Amino acid sequence: MFTGISHHSVYVLDQEEALAFYCGTLGFEVSADVDLGFMRWLTIALPSQPDRHIMLEVPGPPFVDDATSAQLRDLLTKGALGAAAILTTDDCRATYEAMRAKGVEFTEEPTERPYGIDCALRDPFGNHVRITQPATGPVTAADFAQEGTGA
């Protein structure tokens, strides 16, 4: 069976701008940057988790045709592609303040949730990224029901 997740992708409109944001601002490092001729294979990883890569992918061939690429770009800039990543931290509020000082655009301030403290930011392309300080111990549906966020 499966043993883990090694890569997932995040759509970006410009890979250099994505590197500036994800590496220069958030603290990721480039894990691969390879010109394959038909595309640039560009991945990043957190120094604390070097075996989990995020591919910074520009919508387009060879994965999708030009018409689909245009649709994806439109959805991306509208923020309609869902969460790109959930990053964990030991101190959500301190991370929030450090990122705000670097000019990161946040869509949600740190908030206590049943699963921990989290906040949300938007990358330069429209992707939603959450930052979570996980709660200790198991989280159950009852925790959400008490908060009024459960079904």
Side-chain angles (χ1 to χ4, degrees):
M1 287 307 286
F2 304 111
T3 59
I5 298 172
S6 65
H7 291 73
H8 74 273
S9 68
V10 171
Y11 283 128
V12 300
L13 299 179
D14 180 291
Q15 289 176 313
E16 290 304 318
E17 187 177 359
L19 283 177
F21 180 74
Y22 283 96
C23 295
T25 303
L26 298 187
F28 283 80
E29 295 178 347
V30 174
S31 54
D33 189 356
V34 181
D35 182 355
L36 299 177
F38 58 90
M39 68 171 284
R40 181 180 180 190
W41 179 269
L42 178 61
T43 62
I44 58 172
L46 287 170
S48 61
Q49 199 173 23
D51 61 339
R52 181 97 188 243
H53 309 271
I54 296 175
M55 184 170 80
L56 302 174
E57 181 180 0
V58 177
F63 298 112
V64 295
D65 61 30
D66 288 337
T68 304
S69 173
Q71 292 172 331
L72 287 170
R73 289 170 186 263
D74 187 46
L75 291 171
L76 173 60
T77 57
K78 290 178 179 175
L81 294 182
I86 300 173
L87 308 175
T88 57
T89 181
D90 293 331
D91 188 335
C92 184
R93 289 184 175 89
T95 302
Y96 170 83
E97 291 302 332
M99 293 296 113
R100 273 190 47 163
K102 292 182 175 184
V104 173
E105 174 190 351
F106 278 85
T107 57
E108 292 179 39
E109 296 181 2
T111 303
E112 302 252 356
R113 311 269 187 199
Y115 54 83
I117 302 170
D118 83 349
C119 59
L121 63 88
R122 194 177 140 103
D123 80 3
F125 312 102
N127 290 303
H128 299 278
V129 176
R130 298 201 75 84
I131 298 172
T132 301
Q133 176 185 334
T136 56
V139 178
T140 66
D143 296 323
F144 287 90
Q146 289 175 348
E147 175 131 322
T149 55

